[in-house]
Short mmCIF file of all heavy atoms in Angstrom, two decimals:
data_model
loop_
_atom_site.label_atom_id
_atom_site.label_comp_id
_atom_site.label_asym_id
_atom_site.label_seq_id
_atom_site.Cartn_x
_atom_site.Cartn_y
_atom_site.Cartn_z
N ALA A 54 -17.74 6.03 9.74
CA ALA A 54 -16.65 5.53 8.90
C ALA A 54 -15.76 6.67 8.41
O ALA A 54 -14.52 6.56 8.43
CB ALA A 54 -17.22 4.76 7.72
N TYR A 99 -6.68 0.18 11.49
CA TYR A 99 -7.42 -1.08 11.57
C TYR A 99 -8.78 -0.90 12.25
O TYR A 99 -9.70 -1.66 11.98
CB TYR A 99 -6.57 -2.16 12.21
CG TYR A 99 -5.45 -2.53 11.25
CD1 TYR A 99 -4.15 -2.16 11.48
CD2 TYR A 99 -5.74 -3.18 10.05
CE1 TYR A 99 -3.14 -2.45 10.57
CE2 TYR A 99 -4.75 -3.47 9.13
CZ TYR A 99 -3.46 -3.10 9.40
OH TYR A 99 -2.49 -3.38 8.48
N LEU A 100 -8.92 0.12 13.09
CA LEU A 100 -10.25 0.47 13.60
C LEU A 100 -11.13 0.94 12.44
O LEU A 100 -12.32 0.61 12.38
CB LEU A 100 -10.16 1.56 14.66
CG LEU A 100 -11.48 2.07 15.24
CD1 LEU A 100 -12.20 0.95 15.98
CD2 LEU A 100 -11.24 3.25 16.15
N ASN A 101 -10.54 1.66 11.50
CA ASN A 101 -11.27 2.11 10.32
C ASN A 101 -11.77 0.92 9.51
O ASN A 101 -12.93 0.89 9.07
CB ASN A 101 -10.38 3.00 9.46
CG ASN A 101 -11.11 3.58 8.28
OD1 ASN A 101 -12.28 3.91 8.35
ND2 ASN A 101 -10.41 3.69 7.17
N TYR A 102 -10.92 -0.08 9.31
CA TYR A 102 -11.37 -1.28 8.59
C TYR A 102 -12.47 -2.00 9.36
O TYR A 102 -13.41 -2.54 8.76
CB TYR A 102 -10.21 -2.23 8.32
CG TYR A 102 -9.31 -1.77 7.21
CD1 TYR A 102 -7.95 -1.60 7.40
CD2 TYR A 102 -9.82 -1.49 5.94
CE1 TYR A 102 -7.12 -1.18 6.38
CE2 TYR A 102 -9.01 -1.07 4.91
CZ TYR A 102 -7.66 -0.91 5.14
OH TYR A 102 -6.85 -0.48 4.12
N ALA A 103 -12.39 -2.01 10.69
CA ALA A 103 -13.44 -2.65 11.50
C ALA A 103 -14.76 -1.89 11.35
O ALA A 103 -15.83 -2.51 11.23
CB ALA A 103 -13.01 -2.70 12.96
N VAL A 104 -14.70 -0.57 11.35
CA VAL A 104 -15.93 0.23 11.18
C VAL A 104 -16.51 0.01 9.78
O VAL A 104 -17.74 -0.10 9.63
CB VAL A 104 -15.65 1.73 11.45
CG1 VAL A 104 -16.82 2.60 11.05
CG2 VAL A 104 -15.32 1.93 12.92
N ILE A 105 -15.65 -0.07 8.78
CA ILE A 105 -16.13 -0.36 7.42
C ILE A 105 -16.83 -1.72 7.40
O ILE A 105 -17.90 -1.88 6.82
CB ILE A 105 -14.97 -0.31 6.40
CG1 ILE A 105 -14.52 1.13 6.19
CG2 ILE A 105 -15.37 -0.96 5.08
CD1 ILE A 105 -13.23 1.25 5.40
N TYR A 106 -16.22 -2.70 8.05
CA TYR A 106 -16.82 -4.03 8.09
C TYR A 106 -18.17 -4.01 8.82
O TYR A 106 -19.14 -4.62 8.35
CB TYR A 106 -15.88 -5.04 8.75
CG TYR A 106 -16.48 -6.41 8.82
CD1 TYR A 106 -16.48 -7.23 7.70
CD2 TYR A 106 -17.07 -6.87 9.98
CE1 TYR A 106 -17.06 -8.48 7.73
CE2 TYR A 106 -17.66 -8.12 10.03
CZ TYR A 106 -17.65 -8.93 8.91
OH TYR A 106 -18.24 -10.16 8.95
N LEU A 107 -18.23 -3.32 9.94
CA LEU A 107 -19.48 -3.27 10.71
C LEU A 107 -20.56 -2.45 10.00
O LEU A 107 -21.75 -2.68 10.23
CB LEU A 107 -19.22 -2.70 12.10
CG LEU A 107 -18.37 -3.58 13.01
CD1 LEU A 107 -18.04 -2.85 14.30
CD2 LEU A 107 -19.06 -4.91 13.29
N THR A 108 -20.17 -1.51 9.15
CA THR A 108 -21.15 -0.69 8.45
C THR A 108 -21.73 -1.41 7.24
O THR A 108 -22.94 -1.49 7.07
CB THR A 108 -20.51 0.65 8.00
OG1 THR A 108 -20.00 1.32 9.15
CG2 THR A 108 -21.53 1.54 7.32
N TRP A 109 -20.87 -1.96 6.38
CA TRP A 109 -21.34 -2.53 5.12
C TRP A 109 -21.29 -4.06 5.07
O TRP A 109 -21.83 -4.65 4.16
CB TRP A 109 -20.49 -1.99 3.95
CG TRP A 109 -20.79 -0.58 3.62
CD1 TRP A 109 -21.87 -0.09 2.96
CD2 TRP A 109 -20.00 0.55 3.95
NE1 TRP A 109 -21.79 1.26 2.85
CE2 TRP A 109 -20.65 1.71 3.46
CE3 TRP A 109 -18.80 0.73 4.62
CZ2 TRP A 109 -20.15 2.97 3.60
CZ3 TRP A 109 -18.30 2.00 4.77
CH2 TRP A 109 -18.97 3.11 4.26
N HIS A 110 -20.58 -4.70 5.96
CA HIS A 110 -20.42 -6.15 5.99
C HIS A 110 -19.84 -6.72 4.69
O HIS A 110 -20.38 -7.67 4.13
CB HIS A 110 -21.74 -6.85 6.33
CG HIS A 110 -22.34 -6.39 7.61
ND1 HIS A 110 -21.78 -6.66 8.83
CD2 HIS A 110 -23.45 -5.65 7.85
CE1 HIS A 110 -22.52 -6.12 9.78
NE2 HIS A 110 -23.53 -5.49 9.22
N PRO A 111 -18.74 -6.13 4.20
CA PRO A 111 -18.12 -6.70 2.99
C PRO A 111 -17.23 -7.89 3.38
O PRO A 111 -16.97 -8.13 4.56
CB PRO A 111 -17.27 -5.55 2.47
CG PRO A 111 -16.83 -4.87 3.72
CD PRO A 111 -18.02 -4.94 4.65
N GLN A 112 -16.76 -8.60 2.38
CA GLN A 112 -15.72 -9.60 2.62
C GLN A 112 -14.40 -8.85 2.56
O GLN A 112 -14.15 -8.09 1.61
CB GLN A 112 -15.75 -10.68 1.55
CG GLN A 112 -16.97 -11.54 1.58
CD GLN A 112 -16.97 -12.53 0.43
OE1 GLN A 112 -16.24 -12.38 -0.54
NE2 GLN A 112 -17.79 -13.55 0.55
N MET A 113 -13.55 -9.07 3.56
CA MET A 113 -12.27 -8.37 3.61
C MET A 113 -11.16 -9.39 3.81
O MET A 113 -11.27 -10.27 4.67
CB MET A 113 -12.25 -7.34 4.74
CG MET A 113 -13.30 -6.26 4.58
SD MET A 113 -13.36 -5.12 5.96
CE MET A 113 -12.00 -4.08 5.57
N ILE A 122 -11.21 -5.82 -0.59
CA ILE A 122 -12.57 -5.64 -0.10
C ILE A 122 -13.52 -6.03 -1.22
O ILE A 122 -13.42 -5.50 -2.33
CB ILE A 122 -12.81 -4.19 0.34
CG1 ILE A 122 -11.82 -3.79 1.44
CG2 ILE A 122 -14.25 -4.00 0.81
CD1 ILE A 122 -11.85 -2.34 1.82
N TYR A 124 -17.54 -6.26 -2.13
CA TYR A 124 -18.87 -5.84 -1.70
C TYR A 124 -19.79 -5.85 -2.91
O TYR A 124 -19.51 -5.19 -3.92
CB TYR A 124 -18.82 -4.44 -1.08
CG TYR A 124 -20.14 -3.97 -0.54
CD1 TYR A 124 -20.69 -4.54 0.58
CD2 TYR A 124 -20.84 -2.96 -1.18
CE1 TYR A 124 -21.91 -4.12 1.08
CE2 TYR A 124 -22.06 -2.53 -0.69
CZ TYR A 124 -22.58 -3.11 0.45
OH TYR A 124 -23.78 -2.70 0.93
#
Side-chain angles (χ1 to χ4, degrees):
Y99 291 107
L100 177 64
N101 184 35
Y102 285 124
V104 170
I105 289 170
Y106 179 79
L107 293 173
T108 302
W109 287 284
H110 304 291
Q112 293 176 343
M113 298 176 80
I122 301 173
Y124 183 70

